Amino acid sequence: METISHREAVNSPERSTPSHFIKNIIGDDLASNKYEGRVHTRFPPEPNGYLHIGHAKSICLNFGLAAEYRGGLCNLRFDDTNPSKEDVEYVDSIKQDVRWLGFDWGDRMYYASDYFEQLYRCAVELIRRGKAYVCDLTPEEVRKNRGTLSEPGIDSPCRNRSIEENLDLFARMRAGEFPDGSRTLRAKIDMGSPNINMRDPVMYRILRATHHRTADKWCIYPMYDFTHCISDSLESITHSICTLEFEDHRPLYDWFLDSLGLYRPQQIEFARLNLSYTVMSKRKLLELVEEGHVSGWDDPRMPTISGLRRRGYTPESIRTFCERIGVAKRNSVVDIALLEHCVREDLNRCAPRVMAVLNPLRVIIDNYPENVVEELDAVNNPEDASMGTRKIPFSRELYIERDDFREAPPKQFFRLAPGREVRLRYAYYITCEQVIKDTVTGEVIELHCRYDPATRGGDSPDRRKVKATLHWVSAAHSIPVDVRLYDQLFSVPDVTAEKDGEDYKDYLNPASLQVLKSCRVEPGLSEAQPGNRYQFERQGYFCVDSRDSSPGKPVFNRTVNLRDTWAKIEKSIAS
Ligand code: ATP
Ligand code: MG
């Protein structure tokens, strides 16, 4: 395509990722030298909540574009114009999350609140130019007079105030002469515009709220649309990338800057990320936290960056996910199985394998000597020989997974059963000879087995076949740990499709968290550090919880199981 060859000639991407329409626009702009060859983006979160996976899409896009073009820059800007909902806790978490994802804003961290004085002067300038006025209508009246999609709005009775009177009233608004909500400053555009955003939008409101940075210096606060374009302009942003719902705001973005005669970046809209089985609205996520449906913003079931991190997601897997979903103009819902697929793929490469028994069943090897402990060799990662091997202790008493034994095995069950022989991974073949049950409940409490000393390491010299290989741990050497199994937070794929009288919280999955208290893991895991990730063989990927673990006593969170539903979906699409 022409635009691509242009781009290559002028400023070729340094690291090539899939192309999309925004790269094409940037390519054209570089070719025509629209911004003197500059690419300067920004990520503008409002510090009113923790970042989620949708924000990750925007972060990867904005910082990713800056990294792809020579000299490209991306600012981090806190869009902090709404003091009643914002907090430094959110500012700190946002910085941590952006860094953790692998991005760097250098010395370009800004706050919209740093521009309050400049914004005020811009507002005064618009009044001087006859393009803004102080309006005495209440918020309800403003709303009522705005009209609808089919009906034009009604002019405010204050619309034709003199410039002098407007300047005076606006200065007095700032000075704190009027009560909250009693007046606003509005842009004087067109109450008959088919675009409702252009019907004299509010630029400033009176609000006595302590701001986390400017404290009580201001009692008037600028609105988002007015603030955002001017902040972009002041920072010399070239491409102001935002989500589709701002498409109808673009004329206003342009109007403010053109009316002030300021440098104008190009606003470009893309489709926001929606994920199945979850919610992405900050309001709803806050509600889940405040009402205690989850343990906090970083609950491993939350779609927040901090939740995913605590769950065991790697930054690489999230970046890969954001690359794979692409950037488009049409809204869609991405299957959460794709996100799981990405982390599985990454952890398969880098997570060491270990053996962990989640629901232990005691096994006694009757013909194995008491007081003998063998150190057997186990492979740390069959995908990566450089990760080496480790020693694991084997002894007369072991634990296997309760699910790996059936007293009366159904047809397709090939694991352990009375009289049947199976392989213990890296160890020996064993045959089940006796089943001991609780005399009252009938529950199986232990198995007595025989081992074949000739099969050490897991192979038999006579090449006889066994149909199953089980994981296990030595009873005396393994350490007891808590393991938390997570499932989707919601039990329906489309959480937003609330039926009559139902609320998204009605779809919360009651089984999203299962805590297992008597699990047993290899002794080496007593050293596991918060954040360490492992594959528990045959179970899934697990991560040491960063909050609830203590030295020598790790608590494990299941990141994802081994079953790859996404691979299945891909297969079915292909066939
Ligand atoms: P709100 O403004 O309602 O508090 P928000 O989700 O827009 O919520 P912001 O903090 O304003 O939150 O978002 C920062 C940036 O992240 C914006 O540029 C926004 O467009 C982008 N963003 C937010 N949610 C998504 C999403 N689901 N997919 C892609 N980008 C998103
Ligand atoms: Mg927003």
Side-chain angles (χ1 to χ4, degrees):
M1 256 165 59
E2 203 185 25
T3 51
I4 291 175
S5 60
H6 273 157
R7 185 179 66 209
E8 279 166 355
V10 179
N11 185 347
S12 56
E14 301 192 330
R15 193 180 58 98
S16 189
T17 55
S19 198
H20 49 69
F21 78 98
I22 299 182
K23 288 197 197 178
N24 292 341
I25 294 174
I26 294 178
D28 288 345
D29 291 346
L30 289 170
S32 67
N33 210 28
K34 189 167 168 194
Y35 304 103
E36 305 90 37
R38 291 186 308 118
V39 176
H40 198 158
T41 57
R42 84 285 172 268
F43 173 63
E46 180 178 357
N48 62 350
Y50 280 60
L51 297 181
H52 53 59
I53 182 76
H55 293 115
K57 177 179 181 178
S58 175
I59 293 167
C60 290
L61 178 58
N62 281 295
F63 281 95
L65 284 170
E68 269 193 40
Y69 297 94
R70 212 174 304 129
L73 296 171
C74 180
N75 296 357
L76 174 64
R77 185 200 312 138
F78 291 100
D79 177 16
D80 55 350
T81 55
N82 195 358
S84 48
K85 292 196 171 145
E86 295 161 3
D87 199 276
V88 275
E89 176 196 349
Y90 301 130
V91 170
D92 294 341
S93 75
I94 289 168
K95 281 156 57 180
Q96 184 190 7
D97 289 349
V98 173
R99 266 199 217 106
W100 180 78
L101 277 174
F103 299 105
D104 184 7
W105 53 86
D107 56 358
R108 292 174 316 283
M109 185 178 77
Y110 301 105
Y111 292 87
S113 55
D114 289 345
Y115 308 136
F116 279 174
E117 196 61 53
Q118 278 146 300
L119 288 161
Y120 180 82
R121 274 189 263 126
C122 286
V124 168
E125 185 56 33
L126 281 180
I127 295 174
R128 286 215 176 93
R129 294 183 182 202
K131 289 176 185 289
Y133 62 96
V134 172
C135 178
D136 304 345
L137 297 179
T138 62
E140 295 77 66
E141 287 167 329
V142 170
R143 210 169 304 129
K144 220 175 70 217
N145 288 358
R146 195 177 290 136
T148 62
L149 283 175
S150 51
E151 278 172 68
I154 299 163
D155 282 3
S156 163
C158 312
R159 200 169 198 267
N160 292 318
R161 270 191 169 134
S162 71
I163 290 174
E164 287 64 37
E165 191 184 359
N166 280 320
L167 288 171
D168 174 62
L169 286 171
F170 188 50
R172 289 163 61 194
M173 275 170 66
R174 177 181 182 169
E177 283 189 29
F178 310 118
D180 285 10
S182 61
R183 288 194 153 98
T184 54
L185 182 73
R186 297 176 69 179
K188 192 170 175 178
I189 311 180
D190 178 8
M191 290 305 291
S193 170
N195 183 342
I196 294 180
N197 296 301
M198 300 299 273
R199 295 182 188 167
D200 292 10
V202 171
M203 292 164 55
Y204 270 88
R205 61 204 165 120
I206 305 175
L207 175 71
R208 281 163 182 85
T210 304
H211 189 281
H212 61 103
R213 300 194 78 240
T214 57
D216 297 316
K217 184 171 179 214
W218 294 87
C219 65
I220 54 171
Y221 287 98
M223 303 302 286
Y224 174 84
D225 281 326
F226 178 63
T227 309
H228 198 74
C229 55
I230 294 174
S231 306
D232 279 349
S233 177
L234 291 172
E235 293 175 19
S236 303
I237 300 304
T238 55
H239 301 86
S240 175
I241 300 166
C242 61
T243 40
L244 278 185
E245 64 275 21
F246 289 100
E247 195 162 20
D248 291 343
H249 295 239
R250 188 179 350 121
L252 183 55
Y253 183 104
D254 293 349
W255 186 90
F256 279 129
L257 295 177
D258 291 348
S259 300
L260 286 161
L262 292 178
Y263 159 77
R264 172 150 66 79
Q266 175 65 51
Q267 178 180 308
I268 305 169
E269 308 86 17
F270 72 100
R272 65 193 300 119
L273 168 67
N274 300 296
L275 256 194
S276 61
Y277 294 99
T278 192
V279 293
M280 211 85 92
S281 134
K282 278 197 269 189
R283 181 184 64 77
K284 289 178 181 168
L285 294 175
L286 177 64
E287 207 165 78
L288 293 174
V289 172
E290 285 185 334
E291 293 179 8
H293 301 287
V294 293
S295 65
W297 283 98
D298 68 349
D299 185 298
R301 292 165 292 179
M302 290 280 270
T304 51
I305 308 291
S306 50
L308 291 166
R309 173 166 63 235
R310 204 172 149 200
R311 176 89 171 245
Y313 275 74
T314 57
E316 292 77 13
S317 65
I318 295 176
R319 291 198 304 262
T320 303
F321 170 74
C322 291
E323 213 163 89
R324 294 224 182 128
I325 56 176
V327 180
K329 268 268 182 202
R330 241 210 350 250
N331 279 316
S332 64
V333 180
V334 173
D335 195 323
I336 199 160
L338 176 60
L339 180 62
E340 294 177 342
H341 173 79
C342 291
V343 73
R344 214 178 262 122
E345 199 176 58
D346 193 33
L347 292 176
N348 182 44
R349 253 190 316 261
C350 64
R353 274 55 170 169
V354 293
M355 293 200 281
V357 176
L358 302 186
N359 284 302
L361 173 60
R362 184 177 287 270
V363 167
I364 295 152
I365 319 267
D366 289 322
N367 60 335
Y368 194 88
E370 281 182 55
N371 304 321
V372 167
V373 181
E374 280 182 90
E375 295 281 320
L376 302 174
D377 289 311
V379 173
N380 287 335
N381 188 347
E383 303 283 320
D384 181 357
S386 75
M387 289 174 73
T389 60
R390 68 188 182 285
K391 298 282 186 195
I392 42 173
F394 183 87
S395 65
R396 187 168 190 265
E397 292 198 15
L398 310 171
Y399 290 115
I400 64 164
E401 207 67 65
R402 195 162 273 279
D403 276 354
D404 282 339
F405 173 79
R406 290 287 172 83
E407 197 176 11
K411 239 188 166 161
Q412 295 297 316
F413 187 89
F414 299 117
R415 293 169 264 169
L416 198 59
R420 186 177 292 170
E421 185 172 53
V422 296
R423 175 191 294 112
L424 294 181
R425 187 130 163 99
Y426 303 123
Y428 294 99
Y429 286 13
I430 60 164
T431 306
C432 176
E433 301 203 303
Q434 194 192 355
V435 181
I436 310 288
K437 292 197 238 178
D438 185 301
T439 46
V440 181
T441 64
E443 190 196 19
V444 175
I445 39 182
E446 63 184 38
L447 305 177
H448 285 262
C449 297
R450 178 171 36 79
Y451 87 118
D452 176 357
T455 58
R456 191 178 198 269
D459 283 306
S460 71
D462 63 3
R463 306 217 160 271
R464 72 181 185 275
K465 290 259 186 311
V466 286
K467 284 200 171 149
T469 301
L470 310 187
H471 62 277
W472 54 275
V473 293
S474 166
H477 303 89
S478 61
I479 57 167
V481 297
D482 286 4
V483 172
R484 303 186 290 207
L485 304 182
Y486 295 105
D487 196 358
Q488 312 300 4
L489 190 51
F490 292 93
S491 43
V492 297
D494 185 358
V495 186
T496 55
E498 288 148 299
K499 288 189 228 101
D500 277 349
E502 283 185 353
D503 174 75
Y504 74 96
K505 282 176 282 178
D506 295 334
Y507 306 138
L508 277 164
N509 175 7
S512 61
L513 169 61
Q514 193 192 347
V515 182
L516 304 177
K517 286 280 185 191
S518 48
C519 312
R520 291 275 175 166
V521 297
E522 287 182 17
L525 287 187
S526 63
E527 310 281 301
Q529 298 300 309
N532 284 175
R533 305 176 181 96
Y534 301 91
Q535 184 193 104
F536 288 0
E537 293 214 24
R538 302 176 62 227
Q539 306 276 9
Y541 294 97
F542 292 76
C543 169
V544 180
D545 189 77
S546 49
R547 268 188 197 281
D548 303 328
S549 300
S550 49
K553 191 134 188 25
V555 172
F556 290 91
N557 298 332
R558 182 171 69 192
T559 310
V560 67
N561 59 22
L562 290 178
R563 196 180 55 244
D564 192 338
T565 47
W566 180 253
K568 255 191 239 154
I569 294 168
E570 260 185 344
K571 232 186 197 165
S572 75
I573 295 169
S575 64

